[in-house]
Amino acid sequence: MTEFSLPPIQTTARDDAVLKALAGFVMREKLEPGERLPTERILAERLKVSRNTVREALTRWEGLGLVERRQGSGTYLKAAVSLDMLHMPLTLAGGNDFTGLMRTLEIRRALEAEAAALCAIRADEDDLAEIERKLDIMEEEFLSRAGMSSEEDWEFHQAIYRACGNPLFEQIIAAMHELFHRFWEHPLGVRDFGHASFPYHRTMFNCIAAHDPEGARAEALKLIATVEDDLKRGAANLKLSDRK
């Protein structure tokens, strides 16, 4: 018999195999978004891999917005999975300086405007009720705090992404969660950052509820334009401070 050697399995190939096996398990068990996955121990036993391997796979899924880990409760499926889905890890160079924030805003502008337009076309009555519920909470928080509330604002936009009919939007946004949240951390020293965007949340929703995709897109772009103005105002103020 002729001797031959096989190259070792590359880590990436092994990880992808585990992710595919995990996806197959979820499909066989007919788990739906919102349902809790079995524990890491049970998954490891079913997939015949180590618990550490399962933990790493779930960490990758969490980074892609496919699952959510809740302290003391377990791991929950956030989006449907399939055997043929692709895993696209994002490496994002962010920053709290003007250039970094503007780059992030350019991505947000493209995603948010298109998601709003698609949502206006595809959202049903239940979707609209949930989006408006999130909007009411956000508006109440804004008025009581006299300023934007990051989590309530984030949840409102997430409701739109979920209702746009394309799960890739929510997954991409989930992967950019940390970058997007920098807009609620008084970037560039602007204390009232984002306040000017407040009324456009309601006008954007009104267009979505009226199933007016172009109107929804236009209002989303107006919202983003106010954020850009705040960034430019903050950059200008920093330049003035440097000159003193």
Side-chain angles (χ1 to χ4, degrees), residues 31-89:
L31 296 177
E32 299 290 336
E35 292 187 297
R36 186 170 62 182
L37 272 65
T39 63
E40 291 177 1
R41 179 182 62 79
I42 292 175
L43 286 172
E45 291 174 355
R46 298 282 184 87
L47 299 176
K48 301 187 187 311
V49 296
S50 69
R51 290 180 64 176
N52 188 55
T53 298
V54 169
R55 191 174 299 116
E56 290 174 356
L58 291 175
T59 298
R60 284 188 64 184
W61 270 15
E62 185 178 30
L64 293 166
L66 296 176
V67 296
E68 176 186 7
R69 283 166 158 166
R70 301 177 189 171
Q71 186 68 33
S73 179
T75 301
Y76 292 78
L77 196 65
K78 289 184 63 180
V81 299
S82 66
L83 289 171
D84 59 354
M85 66 183 181
L86 299 175
H87 302 281
M88 300 183 299

Side-chain angles (χ1 to χ4, degrees), residues 127-141 151-160 162 201-202 205:
D127 293 327
L128 294 174
E130 177 64 8
I131 296 169
E132 186 168 28
R133 186 179 74 84
K134 296 292 188 181
L135 176 59
D136 289 342
I137 294 172
M138 190 212 78
E139 290 178 334
E140 183 178 348
E141 285 295 314
E151 286 307 314
E152 286 74 17
D153 193 13
W154 174 259
E155 287 297 324
F156 166 71
H157 290 287
Q158 283 289 92
I160 292 175
R162 280 192 289 269
H201 292 76
R202 176 62 66 174
F205 168 73

